[in-house]
Amino acid sequence: MSPNPRRTAWPALLALALAACPAPPPLPPDEEPPPPVRTRPPVTFERTLTDRHPDPSVVEVDLEARVSTVELEAGNPIEAWTYDGGIPGPLLEATVGDRVIVHFTNNLPEPTTIHWHGLRITDDMDGVPHLQDPVQPGETFTYAFTVPDAGSFWYHPHMRSAEQIERGLYGPIVVHEKPEATPELDADRYFVLDDVRLTSAGEIAPPGGGMMDEMSGRYGNTFLVNGRAVPPSFSFRRNDVERWRLVNTANARTLEVGLTGATFRVIGTDGGLLPTPLEGLSRLELPVGARWELEVRYTADIASLYARIPYADGSDTTRYDVVPLIDGRSTGPGPGSPGRVPTYPAVTFPEVSASAPAHELAFDAYEGPAGLVFTINGVAWPEMDMWSAVAGAPVALRLVNRTMMEHPFHLHGNFFQVLERDGRAVDEPGLRDTVLVNGSETVLVGTNLENPGRWMYHCHINEHSGLGMMGEVAIER
Ligand code: C2O
Ligand code: CU
């Protein structure tokens, strides 16, 4: 047999290599190659809170509410209420299981609190003013909690919300999956969508807009994405597959959004990733308070997110205006292949059932001597229809809308799943903390109310909750 020249060459090469280099560290026998490290792109967002804690599983940040100058419209500085001087507030970022410590200072002219919308924490840290003393002007409060769920959330005051949120107090939260469960996407973007009412001088119109605002909540005349009058621009790489997180922080307006120049699958809802991405939707309805997470793929070199809103003067209910919210431009092809499908972690949801014992929450409104009053089960907050549940016991909440207006129902500290609308089963998968109940509609949601504590629920139209549409459930261990 003739010798294999490549084999015979090896000893000589090896001898040369050994002579040239110091001895390499010995390899442990039978070492497995390390598991592939999943890398996640940083979340694209203008400002992120700085973690000053050395332990990687603790996020410790400072946050201040103060009056500041912002430019919602480029070149037009105005006064607003801000977290750390800008709108939206800086991104709070953590990884599931982390301990989060927020040293909050209130430098606003009035008391406030911070509510961590969607985080299943303990009720004493939930930022509602009947469980926590409001933080007075000039005072500080330290919020500390552990984040049990990965997903997209947000924070905002829970006092005089119709005014405090409208003036600019809201910010995004991302709780990352553990590295081994992180989907591999090329970019991660958080778009905070708002609709604000500006005066002709471009200032945030003073609150108190009369009957119309009480009725439907305050609608704005200007859309903001990440605090800028639309449409701000961004750039992307053509072959990238991206993760987009959307939240609606408006006072009242439900957004219907879609994409041009790109396609999407829904990969997550309020409570994090879905077991299977949802395909085939062309537009999404995003009620106030709710979040969507999308897997976005570009199909053109110009792409935009748009809102579809009913035709301006309401004269023709079949017509819509299309408002671009953000405009993206490609900087060329990325290194990835456009058809690649990211892997998503296995996700299972708690079992819920439409036949679980039902608790009814009926939404209504009437005209009182001082204006409109919004009620749940006939009473207006702070009066309330007290009820209690046992943690972990299945409950079906029957949300009955006795009004013609829509009400985005929000439950604190717990998730639910949407089961039926007007008695018909629906396919609206995902863990939610917010669901839109349309005018005169009944929505059935299932939950196991797993998180003990006193938890508020309310309409997330801030004018409606401010006029009484709030209640509380006590979940006992
Ligand atoms: Cu986003 Cu009780 O609120
Ligand atoms: Cu409402």
Side-chain angles (χ1 to χ4, degrees):
M1 230 164 94
S2 66
N4 179 332
R6 281 157 82 197
R7 267 197 200 146
T8 51
W10 268 111
L13 282 174
L14 194 61
L16 269 176
L18 285 174
C21 314
L27 273 183
D30 302 315
E31 199 189 39
E32 296 263 319
V37 179
R38 295 219 176 178
T39 47
R40 60 167 175 77
V43 181
T44 307
F45 200 73
E46 202 171 271
R47 302 181 304 147
T48 300
L49 288 168
T50 315
D51 176 10
R52 58 175 163 89
H53 201 285
D55 181 337
S57 62
V58 180
V59 173
E60 185 170 13
V61 299
D62 298 308
L63 184 66
E64 182 196 17
R66 64 168 186 263
V67 179
S68 281
T69 300
V70 298
E71 284 190 19
L72 304 178
E73 298 169 302
N76 187 20
I78 58 152
E79 193 172 88
W81 291 10
T82 69
Y83 289 118
D84 283 1
I87 298 179
L91 171 69
L92 171 61
E93 228 177 339
T95 299
V96 64
D98 282 358
R99 187 83 187 145
V100 175
I101 303 163
V102 181
H103 301 283
F104 172 61
T105 304
N106 177 16
N107 281 326
L108 297 173
E110 65 179 46
T112 192
T113 60
I114 305 183
H115 169 57
W116 314 94
H117 183 127
L119 299 185
R120 297 192 302 162
I121 54 180
T122 54
D123 62 4
D124 56 334
M125 292 291 142
D126 196 42
V128 297
H130 63 292
L131 300 185
Q132 176 208 335
D133 287 337
V135 188
Q136 299 298 325
E139 285 190 355
T140 62
F141 183 82
T142 298
Y143 289 95
F145 46 80
T146 299
V147 285
D149 304 292
S152 309
F153 308 97
W154 64 299
Y155 60 93
H156 62 76
H158 221 283
M159 289 188 70
R160 306 204 322 111
S161 307
E163 180 168 346
Q164 293 197 359
I165 298 178
E166 176 80 350
R167 284 186 184 274
L169 295 170
Y170 56 83
I173 304 173
V174 168
V175 180
H176 292 285
E177 291 83 13
K178 293 267 189 222
E180 62 278 11
T182 298
E184 280 193 300
L185 291 142
D186 301 309
D188 190 339
R189 306 180 192 268
Y190 207 140
F191 293 119
V192 178
L193 313 181
D194 190 13
D195 127 293
V196 70
R197 186 179 300 169
L198 300 183
T199 63
S200 52
E203 284 165 348
I204 297 168
M211 184 79 164
M212 263 313 281
D213 280 4
E214 292 184 354
M215 238 10 195
S216 359
R218 166 155 153 152
Y219 275 57
N221 53 11
T222 307
F223 289 105
L224 301 178
V225 174
N226 294 351
R228 292 169 195 238
V230 300
S233 57
F234 70 103
S235 57
F236 62 85
R237 296 184 304 184
R238 177 71 185 269
N239 300 338
D240 281 0
V241 184
E242 300 190 342
R243 182 178 196 166
W244 284 20
R245 307 165 188 269
L246 307 178
V247 61
N248 181 354
T249 67
N251 271 30
R253 188 197 293 270
T254 299
L255 288 169
E256 194 188 355
V257 295
L259 293 176
T260 56
T263 60
F264 70 88
R265 302 198 293 169
V266 176
I267 57 171
T269 57
D270 301 342
L273 293 172
L274 292 168
T276 338
L278 261 181
E279 338 225 355
L281 296 165
S282 56
R283 280 185 299 273
L284 292 169
E285 182 180 77
L286 184 63
V288 174
R291 284 85 64 212
W292 287 114
E293 289 193 19
L294 311 180
E295 174 202 84
V296 172
R297 252 164 236 282
Y298 299 99
T299 55
D301 286 317
I302 294 183
S304 67
L305 175 75
Y306 66 86
R308 185 179 183 257
I309 57 171
Y311 189 53
D313 70 2
S315 60
D316 182 348
T317 53
T318 64
R319 284 179 64 184
Y320 288 85
D321 286 327
V322 167
V323 181
L325 297 179
I326 43 174
D327 280 342
R329 242 164 222 288
S330 146
T331 55
S337 83
R340 77 188 184 82
V341 180
T343 38
Y344 292 99
V347 170
T348 47
F349 289 159
E351 291 259 331
V352 292
S353 153
S355 51
H359 185 86
E360 184 170 298
L361 299 174
F363 309 135
D364 214 341
Y366 65 89
E367 205 180 334
L372 283 178
V373 179
F374 287 81
T375 60
I376 299 181
N377 289 353
V379 289
W381 184 273
E383 213 188 314
M384 61 176 148
D385 177 40
M386 281 290 273
W387 63 292
S388 61
V390 176
V395 188
L397 296 179
R398 187 180 296 116
L399 311 172
V400 183
N401 188 350
R402 301 223 162 96
T403 72
M404 304 291 286
M405 318 147 219
E406 57 186 32
H407 301 292
F409 170 81
H410 170 50
L411 171 65
H412 286 208
N414 289 270
F415 295 129
F416 52 77
Q417 296 171 59
V418 183
L419 300 170
E420 293 177 1
R421 289 185 185 269
D422 285 336
R424 275 184 301 278
V426 291
D427 187 22
E428 298 180 26
L431 300 179
R432 318 273 176 148
D433 53 54
T434 307
V435 64
L436 190 72
V437 186
N438 293 294
S440 308
E441 189 181 42
T442 293
V443 175
L444 194 75
V445 303
T447 172
N448 301 318
L449 297 176
E450 282 143 349
N451 193 9
R454 288 171 61 183
W455 299 109
M456 293 195 83
Y457 48 81
H458 55 88
C459 174
H460 220 295
I461 292 182
N462 299 326
E463 288 72 17
H464 292 179
S465 58
L467 293 170
M469 200 170 264
M470 299 205 276
E472 188 185 69
V473 57
I475 305 177
E476 281 140 28
R477 279 182 195 283

